[in-house]
Amino acid sequence: MSNDNHGYTAAEWAARIELAACYRIFAHLGWDELIYNHITLRLPGDEKHFLINPFGLHYSEVTASNLVKIDLQGRVVGHSDWPVNPAGFTVHRAIHEHVDNAHCVMHTHTTAGMAVACSQEGLSMSNFYSAQLYGQLAYHDFEGITVHAEETPRLLNNIGNKRAVILRNHGLLALGSTVPRAFAVLWLLNRACEIQLASTSMGAVRLIAPEIQQACARDSLQFNEKFGAGQDVFDALTRQIERIDPSYQT
């Protein structure tokens, strides 16, 4: 361990740097919700420990060192100058514990995402972005503020093996084996919602045939290993954040 890592192992510090960058990217994109919502990341190793944002800080204030380490029960591991919002970890905990390779979970309340989540039809398979999510999208009905563990079995059943989730009347959720993979899914889902919000304001939309949707999902650069499966775009955004304010690395 190095002093530059604030006493953390190299693996944990790298995870902290990446997640802090992600919080800054969310703030830059306008995906933050004051001090609320979460991006959580499972740390490497056998222990089921996770990183989460310090409750009370804006996403633009998150740094590698102030991210809070918690266990599956949402209890702080080690020392933190900040509390966490354990109620907000309810959904994340269920997914981290029970969904294969869900090492990163992201949740947003963007205007476009919530608008589509509140619509009767949900996501319209009518644009370039939504088509790339063919076979990847799940829905979960709203049961109130997500603080009750008894909702977990229904949530997990609805998610199945999908990686993009519309929480009806609530918002968007994405999960992935890495931060960039989860980000790629969420970016596509949110972008699809933005286009739907704009296109449906003009009247009826033209739906994309299922076989074309399937081809779009197969050919999408967001999921293509040859193009980094989200890593390249996440790296580019991280470089942008570093130019704006490199303090996320501290």
Side-chain angles (χ1 to χ4, degrees), residues 99-145:
V99 179
D100 289 344
N101 290 319
H103 296 309
C104 181
V105 180
M106 303 176 171
H107 174 50
T108 58
H109 284 177
T110 62
T111 299
M114 288 195 70
V116 171
C118 293
S119 69
Q120 185 64 42
E121 70 167 316
L123 189 67
S124 172
M125 303 305 284
S126 58
N127 67 69
F128 175 83
Y129 300 103
S130 60
Q132 294 178 60
L133 291 166
Y134 175 87
Q136 300 257 12
L137 183 62
Y139 291 87
H140 176 64
D141 285 346
F142 186 58
E143 298 187 20
I145 297 175

Side-chain angles (χ1 to χ4, degrees), residues 25-59:
I25 289 169
F26 271 44
H28 181 66
L29 294 174
W31 288 4
D32 51 292
E33 184 79 358
L34 299 178
I35 62 171
Y36 304 104
N37 291 341
H38 306 288
I39 315 163
T40 54
L41 177 64
R42 181 173 178 176
L43 286 167
D46 296 331
E47 298 170 309
K48 291 186 177 180
H49 289 164
F50 306 85
L51 296 176
I52 194 170
N53 51 314
F55 190 52
L57 293 184
H58 187 265
Y59 282 16

Side-chain angles (χ1 to χ4, degrees), residues 12-214:
E12 178 170 340
W13 187 245
R16 285 174 171 271
I17 290 282
E18 183 176 56
L19 186 58
C22 191
Y23 273 101
R24 297 297 185 93
I25 289 169
F26 271 44
H28 181 66
L29 294 174
W31 288 4
D32 51 292
E33 184 79 358
L34 299 178
I35 62 171
Y36 304 104
N37 291 341
H38 306 288
I39 315 163
T40 54
L41 177 64
R42 181 173 178 176
L43 286 167
D46 296 331
E47 298 170 309
K48 291 186 177 180
H49 289 164
F50 306 85
L51 296 176
I52 194 170
N53 51 314
F55 190 52
L57 293 184
H58 187 265
Y59 282 16
S60 63
E61 299 177 293
V62 171
T63 67
S65 60
N66 69 29
L67 284 163
V68 185
K69 187 192 303 188
I70 56 176
D71 62 17
L72 265 175
Q73 284 67 50
R75 297 174 301 209
V76 175
V77 176
H79 171 75
S80 173
D81 292 329
W82 294 91
V84 298
N85 180 1
F89 190 57
T90 302
V91 169
H92 291 243
R93 174 179 60 198
I95 296 171
H96 280 303
E97 185 174 15
H98 298 289
V99 179
D100 289 344
N101 290 319
H103 296 309
C104 181
V105 180
M106 303 176 171
H107 174 50
T108 58
H109 284 177
T110 62
T111 299
M114 288 195 70
V116 171
C118 293
S119 69
Q120 185 64 42
E121 70 167 316
L123 189 67
S124 172
M125 303 305 284
S126 58
N127 67 69
F128 175 83
Y129 300 103
S130 60
Q132 294 178 60
L133 291 166
Y134 175 87
Q136 300 257 12
L137 183 62
Y139 291 87
H140 176 64
D141 285 346
F142 186 58
E143 298 187 20
I145 297 175
T146 50
V147 295
H148 303 293
E150 59 264 28
E151 185 178 348
T152 295
R154 295 182 292 277
L155 173 71
L156 295 173
N157 182 65
N158 288 331
I159 291 176
N161 63 353
K162 304 298 193 297
R163 289 296 179 264
V165 186
I166 291 180
L167 301 171
R168 291 195 183 274
N169 308 102
H170 187 172
L172 306 181
L173 188 143
L175 47 144
S177 57
T178 65
V179 172
R181 284 174 183 251
F183 178 83
V185 172
L186 186 60
W187 188 87
L188 270 181
L189 180 56
N190 190 74
R191 188 70 176 130
C193 291
E194 290 176 338
I195 299 303
Q196 181 171 329
L197 206 60
S199 61
T200 54
S201 70
M202 298 185 294
V205 294
R206 185 183 181 91
L207 296 179
I208 299 171
E211 61 272 21
I212 302 300
Q213 296 175 37
Q214 187 173 13

